[in-house]
Amino acid sequence: MEMKKRISLELRNRTPAEVAELVVDNCRSADGEVEGLTDSFTELEFLSMVNVGLSSLAKLPSLPKLRKLELSDNNLSGSLETLSQKCPNLTYLNLSGNKIKELTNVEALQNLKSLQSLDLFNCEITSLEDYRESVFELLPQVTYLDGFDQEDNEAPDSEADDEDEDGEEGAGATGDYDEEDDEDEDEDGSEGGEVGLSFQVNRADQDDDDDEDDYGEEEEEEDAAAAGAQGQKRKRDVDDEGEDDDDDEDD
């Protein structure tokens, strides 16, 4: 697909001024020049044109807000001075896999005062003796060359990656915590059920004992009442016998 058509498709019903990121990797530039990109992309901050057959940047429009530019796997060997004129605020530039052979090719990048990271991996220039020392000396504003600083410390990951990792770890910890809580609640519920069942059994036994006690007391009361009645009967019998004896004596 031609670069101009690809850029038109990437707009997706937006105006160029609404686009902050644009990726047109692996499309084709018919004459090795930038096509379809205009000064209207005033808000563009990230542009990727990987493997599109570029051999010149002469037609690159003015992109004042552009900070990251991916140009790897093209045929660029010069015309890099255009970058400082059209993209003065670049902080990251990837030129890996191009035809950059000499230090004079990158000398034009000296005017990119905000440039912090430069990638020349797989360019012939990397085979030069003291390549890294020479580039850092030529471009003192650059902190990372091919992903490492002068002390061979690797460039840090992007903040977005760090936030995603923190988010995943936090989510995992929260999930484990909830699962443990559920287990604790299940155990508490089981113990509570056992205690409740035991209490009910004991309460039932106690109620049975109370019923037996009440029944025993009723039997005792009935026995006492029967004994009292029998005693009264005996007394009446004795009194009757005494009266009979008195009658006999009188006779």
Side-chain angles (χ1 to χ4, degrees):
M1 183 183 293
E2 294 181 357
M3 181 183 294
K4 187 175 183 179
K5 184 177 181 180
R6 175 68 179 276
I7 291 176
S8 179
L9 290 175
E10 291 294 335
L11 286 177
R12 300 173 185 175
N13 297 321
R14 296 174 296 174
T15 65
E18 295 175 319
V19 179
E21 296 185 6
L22 182 62
V23 178
V24 294
D25 299 349
N26 303 313
C27 64
R28 284 296 113 195
S29 173
D31 57 359
E33 298 279 358
V34 177
E35 299 175 325
L37 204 61
T38 68
D39 294 342
S40 299
F41 288 85
T42 54
E43 300 298 316
L44 195 62
E45 298 181 3
F46 176 84
L47 174 61
S48 183
M49 296 186 291
V50 175
N51 188 32
V52 297
L54 288 178
S55 57
S56 172
L57 296 175
K59 293 185 179 181
L60 186 70
S62 177
L63 302 170
K65 289 192 175 183
L66 193 68
R67 298 179 62 81
K68 293 186 178 182
L69 180 58
E70 291 274 0
L71 294 171
S72 59
D73 299 327
N74 284 290
N75 299 313
L76 296 170
S77 59
S79 70
L80 298 182
E81 64 277 356
T82 304
L83 293 176
S84 60
Q85 298 169 8
K86 303 295 181 67
C87 313
N89 294 311
L90 274 183
T91 60
Y92 172 88
L93 176 60
N94 189 347
L95 293 168
S96 62
N98 280 279
K99 299 184 181 300
I100 299 172
K101 302 178 181 180
E102 305 293 336
L103 287 173
T104 53
N105 297 136
V106 299
E107 188 173 356
L109 301 177
Q110 287 179 325
N111 291 326
L112 287 173
K113 302 303 182 181
S114 299
L115 188 63
Q116 299 175 7
S117 181
L118 174 64
D119 197 338
L120 298 171
F121 186 70
N122 278 344
C123 293
E124 288 187 38
I125 189 175
T126 60
S127 63
L128 296 178
E129 186 177 359
D130 298 329
Y131 150 70
R132 291 181 59 80
E133 291 80 358
S134 299
V135 173
F136 277 123
E137 183 177 353
L138 185 65
L139 305 173
Q141 76 273 32
V142 172
T143 302
Y144 297 101
L145 177 62
D146 302 334
F148 293 87
D149 65 12
Q150 296 187 60
E151 284 75 33
D152 290 332
N153 296 313
E154 189 173 2
D157 294 333
S158 66
E159 293 180 1
D161 292 339
D162 292 339
E163 290 176 359
D164 290 340
E165 291 176 0
D166 292 341
E168 291 175 0
E169 291 175 0
T174 302
D176 294 341
Y177 176 80
D178 291 340
E179 185 176 351
E180 291 176 0
D181 284 349
D182 291 340
E183 292 177 357
D184 292 341
E185 290 177 0
D186 291 341
E187 291 178 359
D188 292 342
S190 298
E191 293 177 358
E194 293 176 358
V195 172
L197 181 59
S198 177
F199 174 78
Q200 291 176 2
V201 172
N202 293 336
R203 180 62 181 271
D205 292 342
Q206 184 176 357
D207 291 341
D208 291 341
D209 292 341
D210 292 341
D211 292 341
E212 292 178 358
D213 291 342
D214 293 340
Y215 182 72
E217 290 177 358
E218 290 177 357
E219 287 185 341
E220 290 178 359
E221 291 177 355
E222 291 176 356
D223 292 342
Q230 187 174 2
Q232 291 292 332
K233 182 179 181 182
R234 289 177 180 175
K235 183 177 181 181
R236 285 196 299 270
D237 292 342
V238 171
D239 292 339
D240 292 341
E241 290 178 358
E243 291 176 356
D244 292 341
D245 292 339
D246 292 339
D247 291 338
D248 291 340
E249 290 176 358
D250 292 335
D251 291 340

